[in-house]
Amino acid sequence: MVLWGEGKYWPGFFSSTTMSQCVDVIIETPKGSSQKYDYVPDTPFFQLSKILPSGMVFPYDFGFIPKTKGEDGDPLDVIVISEFTSFPGVIIKCRIIGGITAEQSKGEKGDKMIRNDRFVAIPKCSNIFQKVKELKDLPEQITDELEEFFVDYNKLEGKKFKALDKVGHKKALELIAGNKK
């Protein structure tokens, strides 16, 4: 994926020198939204891709880490836990605190399972979550609800989502580094 203006406008989204401190996350869908937006490669735009059923909303900001590529062919997914709601297209400097390793069905029949991990991050500028350094520092209810959200969200598309494990900061960064483009 080539980001619009990459090199000129967005030169340093993801570098090994800054990865241990922060990564830039581009938000596609804000917390509380019942509309799912997707980044349109090679443009500065986001496209409405689906509307969730009544009562279902994204529990936190949902986005991706530029210059990465997961097994599904898309950039790596990130949930940003924060005290504020952002908007599609905003870039947030975040600390990766962990992730939920997962498999998701793919293919016409949904019979092939591929890795599609969800990473969890905290904005560098967060006041409320500044002391959260690891996924285990969050209340377990938050991570359990995130897993359930992704199970239900994928069910809407006739896909399966199976959480495999919850990993901490160090393992999450290793997984991200292994998926750099």
Side-chain angles (χ1 to χ4, degrees):
M1 172 171 95
V2 175
L3 295 171
W4 175 77
E6 187 173 358
K8 182 176 180 184
Y9 300 104
W10 300 338
F13 267 131
F14 189 80
S15 70
S16 59
T17 58
T18 61
M19 191 176 91
S20 63
Q21 292 87 29
C22 290
V23 296
D24 287 336
V25 175
I26 298 176
I27 300 301
E28 288 182 307
T29 304
K31 172 170 73 173
S33 178
S34 61
Q35 298 85 35
K36 169 70 169 88
Y37 300 97
D38 291 326
Y39 174 72
V40 180
D42 303 321
T43 76
F45 303 110
F46 289 76
Q47 180 176 10
L48 176 65
S49 64
K50 71 180 74 150
I51 298 172
L52 302 180
S54 182
M56 186 176 190
V57 297
F58 278 81
Y60 298 97
D61 288 344
F62 182 77
F64 64 90
I65 302 171
K67 298 186 181 179
T68 62
K69 187 175 184 179
E71 216 176 295
D72 64 349
D74 293 335
L76 298 176
D77 296 324
V78 180
I79 286 283
V80 179
I81 309 285
S82 71
E83 63 268 32
F84 58 85
T85 301
S86 67
F87 55 91
V90 69
I91 302 164
I92 302 176
K93 272 218 182 309
C94 292
R95 294 179 291 107
I96 299 294
I97 62 166
I100 300 169
T101 59
E103 290 181 331
Q104 179 178 309
S105 62
K106 186 175 180 147
E108 288 181 27
K109 297 178 184 175
D111 52 352
K112 181 181 178 190
M113 296 297 280
I114 61 166
R115 279 292 287 272
N116 198 355
D117 301 334
R118 302 298 197 264
F119 296 96
V120 182
I122 303 288
K124 185 179 176 187
C125 63
S126 175
N127 292 319
I128 293 175
F129 296 100
Q130 65 183 317
K131 293 184 180 178
V132 175
K133 305 296 183 202
E134 292 282 342
L135 192 63
K136 66 182 179 185
D137 297 338
L138 290 173
E140 192 173 348
Q141 182 178 348
I142 289 177
T143 55
D144 290 347
E145 287 176 358
L146 286 176
E147 284 182 25
E148 287 304 313
F149 171 78
F150 286 115
V151 167
D152 293 343
Y153 177 81
N154 279 277
K155 228 182 260 183
L156 293 173
E157 294 184 334
K159 295 179 183 177
K160 296 175 189 163
F161 181 87
K162 180 182 177 188
L164 302 173
D165 196 13
K166 294 175 187 172
V167 299
H169 163 82
K170 186 176 180 180
K171 180 64 176 175
L173 288 178
E174 288 172 9
L175 290 169
I176 292 167
N179 285 284
K180 285 170 55 172
K181 283 200 315 185

